[in-house]
Amino acid sequence: MAAKRKRGALAAGKAKRARSAPSAGEAVPEGGPRENSIPPQEYSLPPPVSQGKWKNKERVLIFSSRGINFRTRHLMQDLRTLMPHSKADTKMDRKDQLFVINEVCEMKNCNKCIFFEAKKKQDLYMWLSNTPQGPSAKFLVQNVHTLAELKMTGNCLRGSRPLLSFDPIFDQEPHYALLKELFIQIFSTPQYHPKSQPFVDHVFTFSITDERIWFRNYQIIEEDASLVEIGPRFVLNLIKIFQGSFGGPTLYENPHYQSPNMHRRLIRLSVAAKFREKQQVKEVQKIKQKGTKVLVEEDPTEVVFETPAEEKPVEIQLVKPESKPIVKDKKKLRKIQRKKQKKLFRTEG
């Protein structure tokens, strides 16, 4: 017996054949295969931008502790944007020890770390470390300005590699030379990095003024090779350099460093000294006012200017003077005086 055919089986078979091999003049449906609709020559991929190999696989972990403010969070995000070889992680708890960061870097496959540590919700510290062997440096971060501020008018391509410019003082002293090498390894984007662009259009400058390291970021304008600041900008006040990563023996300690607590204490003492000085001046003025006045001795020549007064005979009044009527209205007083004068004239007449 011949097998029974289901309804629509023939139509379905024809439809499948039509999809697999469409004619030249027939339009291809939206869900159909694209191999037959697009010529094969358009599938050619462009060659890579650079033929080099990514050898320097530096990875920097950038994260912070809990308790940072909005400005620090924006600064951390700006550094992640400017450094395509960086990685991010969740905020670290304050109770955890700093040695835990070495394990976090190992899990994230990072060999450098930038850690922002916040204290008292107003002081910001930055750790730069080469994990896990060291060395590491601790800085106090001051005068932070981010990319989003209106003062920064420059702009650069995301992922482009920066030039690093250092002050000549970095080559004169050993602790600055160590910091220079640490800055080069952390802030320079490795060549042929997958997320980086193969050209240079901005400069990171590290200058030393007033025993502090000033960080600036400038754009290189192609027309006249002038520099326009992009941001972010901040000032690093060196505290200590340690031999290990986030600890260990101290290699260098900054003698010019003054802690923020001591700085605030000196400000309070200066204000209190000014107030105390004002109070002392007021007390001295009160003592001067209460003090006895110095009496000047009598001058014998003053008698010359004294003239004796004329002696007048003493008159004793035996009759009680007439009481004058108290009148507030002057017109009434004048009427009374006229009446008295009229009486006197009548008696005399």
Side-chain angles (χ1 to χ4, degrees):
M1 294 177 65
K4 292 184 179 180
R5 293 182 181 178
K6 295 181 181 180
R7 289 184 179 179
L10 184 61
K14 292 179 180 178
K16 286 182 180 178
R17 289 194 210 100
R19 286 177 189 170
S20 59
S23 60
E26 187 179 355
V28 180
E30 294 181 358
R34 297 182 180 179
E35 290 82 6
N36 299 325
S37 61
I38 300 174
Q41 60 270 16
E42 294 188 9
Y43 275 97
S44 61
L45 296 174
V49 178
S50 59
Q51 302 293 337
K53 189 178 180 181
W54 178 33
K55 296 180 181 179
N56 180 19
K57 298 190 177 182
E58 294 281 352
R59 298 181 183 89
V60 183
L61 181 64
I62 303 176
F63 72 117
S64 67
S65 65
R66 297 194 180 276
I68 61 173
N69 54 8
F70 71 99
R71 190 176 292 274
T72 307
R73 187 173 68 252
H74 290 178
L75 173 63
M76 186 171 57
Q77 191 61 39
D78 293 345
L79 290 179
R80 289 173 182 170
T81 305
L82 292 173
M83 300 165 64
H85 61 293
S86 63
K87 289 188 177 182
D89 195 21
T90 57
K91 296 179 181 178
M92 195 178 75
D93 197 357
R94 295 180 184 176
K95 297 180 181 178
D96 295 339
Q97 298 294 329
L98 294 178
F99 296 103
V100 182
I101 302 176
N102 295 325
E103 300 177 3
V104 177
C105 292
E106 186 177 357
M107 288 188 293
K108 288 284 183 178
N109 195 19
C110 296
N111 49 8
K112 299 290 184 297
C113 180
I114 299 177
F115 177 67
F116 292 94
E117 185 181 8
K119 291 185 179 179
K120 294 187 176 181
K121 296 184 179 180
Q122 54 183 344
D123 301 331
L124 178 63
Y125 298 91
M126 178 192 284
W127 285 84
L128 299 179
S129 176
N130 179 22
T131 58
Q133 291 86 11
S136 59
K138 185 179 181 181
F139 301 90
L140 174 67
V141 185
Q142 299 171 329
N143 302 335
V144 177
H145 298 274
T146 59
L147 275 169
E149 295 191 11
L150 296 177
K151 298 178 183 177
M152 315 301 180
T153 58
N155 191 11
C156 67
L157 187 67
R158 186 187 182 96
S160 60
R161 300 178 64 232
L163 293 174
L164 299 185
S165 174
F166 290 93
D167 195 284
I169 305 177
F170 278 96
D171 298 328
Q172 298 176 3
E173 299 186 15
H175 62 280
Y176 282 138
L178 178 61
L179 291 178
K180 178 181 177 180
E181 185 63 29
L182 195 61
F183 288 147
I184 290 174
Q185 294 182 14
I186 290 177
F187 288 96
S188 63
T189 303
Q191 195 174 10
Y192 307 123
H193 191 277
K195 293 183 180 179
S196 66
Q197 300 294 337
F199 47 82
V200 175
D201 63 349
H202 64 287
V203 184
F204 288 163
T205 61
F206 298 88
S207 57
I208 297 175
T209 307
D210 194 19
E211 304 296 335
R212 291 171 174 82
I213 300 173
W214 299 63
F215 175 85
R216 295 288 185 271
N217 182 19
Y218 296 97
Q219 176 196 0
I220 303 173
I221 299 177
E222 297 180 0
E223 288 77 12
D224 53 354
S226 60
L227 299 179
V228 180
E229 188 170 0
I230 304 172
R233 60 159 71 168
F234 51 87
V235 179
L236 299 177
N237 191 0
L238 178 63
I239 302 174
K240 285 183 180 181
I241 301 177
F242 299 96
Q243 184 176 355
S245 178
F246 297 97
T250 303
L251 298 179
Y252 177 79
E253 184 174 1
N254 187 8
H256 307 284
Y257 171 72
Q258 186 181 66
S259 65
N261 294 331
M262 181 61 67
H263 181 67
R264 287 190 287 267
R265 181 174 178 271
L266 292 177
I267 291 175
R268 289 196 298 269
L269 289 177
S270 63
V271 173
K274 289 181 181 178
F275 179 75
R276 204 178 301 114
E277 186 178 355
K278 289 181 181 179
Q279 293 296 327
Q280 290 177 356
V281 170
K282 288 181 181 179
E283 290 177 1
V284 170
Q285 290 177 353
K286 288 181 181 179
I287 292 172
K288 286 183 179 180
Q289 291 175 359
K290 292 181 180 179
T292 56
K293 296 181 179 180
V294 180
L295 297 176
V296 183
E297 298 180 357
E298 294 183 358
D299 190 3
T301 58
E302 287 184 356
V303 187
V304 178
F305 301 99
E306 293 181 359
T307 54
E310 296 180 358
E311 296 181 359
K312 295 181 179 180
V314 180
E315 294 182 358
I316 299 173
Q317 191 174 2
L318 301 176
V319 183
K320 182 180 177 181
E322 295 180 359
S323 60
K324 296 181 179 180
I326 301 171
V327 182
K328 294 183 179 179
D329 194 357
K330 293 183 178 180
K331 292 182 178 180
K332 290 183 179 180
L333 181 61
R334 290 174 184 172
K335 289 180 181 178
I336 294 169
Q337 290 176 355
R338 287 173 186 172
K339 287 180 181 179
K340 286 183 179 181
Q341 288 177 0
K342 287 179 181 179
K343 286 181 182 180
L344 289 172
F345 284 127
R346 285 174 188 173
T347 52
E348 289 177 359

